[in-house]
Amino acid sequence: MLPDITTRADVELLVNTFYGKVREDELIGPLFSEVAQVNWDLHLPKMYDFWENILFGTGGYRGRPMPPHFRLTQQHPLRPHHFDRWLVLFYETVDQLFEGEKAAEVKVRALNIASMMEFRVEQLNNMNEAAQ
Ligand code: HEM
């Protein structure tokens, strides 16, 4: 039986393991490493705050999730199959490490945010294509 997500350390383990998979993924890894050239020392702590806030309402994350994804899709179109892969890796990570109420909740929250993000990014992609 696996533990549920209950502490900041659990969130850090989830985020670190997830982005470890992302970085090795041949489809979406290069979007982070080559296109966006992410500074992981800054990105990972931001993502700890983001998910901790979503799960436990800690208020640590004060950023805006959308702008980096709008910027990224201007450099390299971010498409539904990228979001699908992101979700597969996220679910796989959660299921590998945790089970319980919060583990189930974090997957639903990820799906909801990813769907909204995919929709908004796709609108921008379509506008860009129409303008060409
Ligand atoms: C294939 C899909 C995705 C790609 C390629 C992607 C890529 C990125 C990149 C390049 C950044 C900027 C990192 C930096 O330079 O600091 C970023 C930031 C972020 N991403 Fe994503 N992302 C994806 C999906 C998602 C999803 C589904 C979520 C949420 C469920 C998410 C949440 C965030 C958040 C919260 C930030 C930080 C925003 C801020 O600056 O406050 N991303 N992402």
Side-chain angles (χ1 to χ4, degrees):
M1 174 125 177
L2 294 168
D4 201 357
I5 305 167
T6 57
T7 63
R8 166 91 177 185
D10 293 335
V11 173
E12 292 182 8
L13 176 63
L14 171 63
V15 168
N16 290 338
T17 310
F18 170 63
Y19 284 103
K21 289 178 193 283
V22 164
R23 293 169 78 163
E24 283 179 14
D25 186 82
E26 58 189 23
L27 180 65
I28 64 170
L31 295 175
F32 288 85
S33 57
E34 286 163 35
V35 182
Q37 301 189 356
V38 170
N39 179 338
W40 293 99
D41 292 340
L42 298 177
H43 185 55
L44 292 175
K46 204 182 280 185
M47 297 314 292
Y48 307 151
D49 289 345
F50 177 76
W51 286 112
E52 192 186 24
N53 190 46
I54 285 193
L55 285 174
F56 304 114
T58 39
Y61 177 76
R62 290 262 179 260
R64 293 191 304 140
M66 285 312 300
H69 304 92
F70 288 142
R71 276 197 296 277
L72 183 60
T73 204
Q74 305 282 20
Q75 295 174 275
H76 181 291
L78 198 48
R79 289 292 187 185
H81 67 287
H82 296 121
F83 285 99
D84 291 347
R85 178 67 59 86
W86 189 102
L87 276 169
V88 165
L89 296 178
F90 193 84
Y91 277 38
E92 192 182 282
T93 309
V94 175
D95 291 341
Q96 173 190 334
L97 297 171
F98 302 104
E99 65 188 355
E101 211 173 291
K102 289 290 178 187
E105 184 187 337
V106 81
K107 288 190 283 184
V108 174
R109 301 296 290 264
L111 175 61
N112 290 342
I113 299 164
S115 305
M116 178 274 297
M117 199 177 264
E118 178 183 314
F119 178 76
R120 294 188 61 191
V121 165
E122 199 59 10
Q123 283 181 314
L124 181 56
N125 292 337
N126 291 336
M127 276 168 48
N128 287 338
E129 277 169 18
Q132 270 166 13

